[in-house]
Amino acid sequence: MRKTIIAGNWKMYKSPKQALDFAHSLSDIEPNETVRVIVCAPYLALPLLKEKVTLPLEISAQNVHQEEEGAFTGEISASMLTSIGVDITLIGHSERRQYFGESDDVVARKVRRALSHELDIILCVGEHLEQREAGEEESVVSNQLKAALSGVSKEEMKSISIAYEPVWAIGTGKTASSEDAQAMGSHIRKELISLYDEETSSACSLLYGGSVKPENIDELLAQPDVDGVLVGGASLDPESFRKLVEAGNRK
Ligand code: PEP
């Protein structure tokens, strides 16, 4: 059975100490067995979090470089992440695509590199506002999926969750309606059947992201093809994040 995933993306917020304080204040959370609770922390906070924080809070990177190693100033490789015990990473977040020029091809190479180091992946896809207004959201997401998953085997799909994050809903306060989130979840599910098979598709956790908060999470998680959420702003405050975890337990 696929897992419910409550994932926080802290973006470029929180020093290592602030990250650890957050984790300590959530040390009493009790997610159900079917719920995974993940924070995607800034690189600098990862070593301290991996050293001090235990399950049920899982620690993820926000990005990984596509090459094994080399002259890539300022970048972090998959083997550097695994060397400190990090075993999850986001890939293809829209802010990486938008501000750091990550193309579908780069995203695909990151996916393959992360898989070769046995990292779990939360792969982000989603359309821009103009694309939705032009009715292109499904084709945009299909193309992003086909590109990112090219060369990824059925077996490897067990390590991948997919986060649908419409770019127009990220950090804007505008949430996709639960119907829109479900419609895209169902579309992604069908796309995974055509790329793989029914079993692979139904085992893959599908997340929605874009201005999720305690007030709207229940309605989103009530949708059959919304298995979890990827949350930016509302994941920064421990009490708000706690409410998101509690909502995960109600799914
Ligand atoms: C995100 O960073 O992935 C995100 C969805 O941000 P927010 O929840 O702030 O819209």
Side-chain angles (χ1 to χ4, degrees):
M1 196 190 147
R2 57 182 182 258
K3 295 267 178 146
T4 300
I5 297 180
I6 306 296
N9 173 22
W10 288 346
K11 312 189 188 209
M12 199 170 71
Y13 295 99
K14 294 196 191 294
S15 67
K17 179 174 181 316
Q18 289 168 330
L20 190 61
D21 288 347
F22 176 104
H24 281 156
S25 61
L26 287 181
S27 58
D28 60 338
I29 52 165
E30 291 182 338
N32 295 343
E33 259 175 43
T34 53
V35 179
R36 287 180 76 181
V37 182
I38 300 172
V39 289
C40 307
Y43 284 137
L44 271 189
L46 294 175
L48 191 61
L49 290 175
K50 284 307 298 185
E51 194 190 328
K52 305 275 188 202
V53 176
T54 51
L55 286 170
L57 197 59
E58 298 184 67
I59 309 301
S60 170
Q62 298 174 7
N63 180 34
V64 64
H65 197 266
Q66 60 272 25
E67 296 295 337
E68 187 57 37
E69 60 182 0
F72 301 105
T73 302
E75 291 293 323
I76 299 287
S77 71
S79 61
M80 291 173 189
L81 293 177
T82 57
S83 75
I84 59 161
V86 173
D87 50 9
I88 317 171
T89 186
L90 288 183
I91 292 181
H93 191 280
S94 65
E95 287 155 14
R96 299 292 318 170
R97 294 178 191 254
Q98 190 170 351
Y99 304 129
F100 301 93
E102 287 186 10
S103 62
D104 282 344
D105 175 55
V106 167
V107 170
R109 286 161 62 204
K110 286 177 184 240
V111 167
R112 290 196 293 271
R113 183 67 60 191
L115 288 171
S116 73
H117 288 270
E118 298 183 355
L119 287 159
D120 279 1
I121 296 167
I122 301 174
L123 171 66
C124 303
V125 294
E127 82 285 356
H128 286 267
L129 184 58
E130 316 79 73
Q131 294 168 322
R132 174 159 284 264
E133 284 173 349
E136 293 166 0
E137 66 274 14
E138 290 191 349
S139 62
V140 167
V141 167
S142 290
N143 290 339
Q144 288 173 337
L145 281 176
K146 282 181 203 145
L149 300 177
S150 67
V152 173
S153 70
K154 269 203 289 194
E155 188 56 31
E156 288 170 327
M157 277 305 291
K158 292 181 183 156
S159 306
I160 299 184
S161 308
I162 295 169
Y164 167 56
E165 299 207 305
V167 181
W168 48 270
I170 297 181
T172 58
K174 285 187 202 153
T175 320
S177 67
S178 48
E179 291 78 20
D180 287 343
Q182 167 56 26
M184 188 58 83
S186 158
H187 174 72
I188 293 172
R189 198 76 76 201
K190 284 189 204 127
E191 194 63 69
L192 292 177
I193 294 175
S194 81
L195 290 173
Y196 297 95
D197 54 27
E198 182 81 46
E199 194 189 348
T200 309
S201 174
S202 70
C204 185
S205 290
L206 303 183
L207 283 60
Y208 166 78
S211 299
V212 176
K213 38 190 184 284
E215 296 76 41
N216 60 19
I217 185 173
D218 283 304
E219 199 187 333
L220 289 159
L221 287 182
Q223 307 306 313
D225 291 305
V226 179
D227 303 312
V229 288
L230 179 57
V231 187
S235 73
L236 291 168
D237 171 65
E239 287 322 304
S240 160
F241 194 69
R242 179 188 295 282
K243 289 184 185 148
L244 301 175
V245 174
E246 287 165 359
N249 281 346
R250 291 193 288 273
K251 167 120 177 128

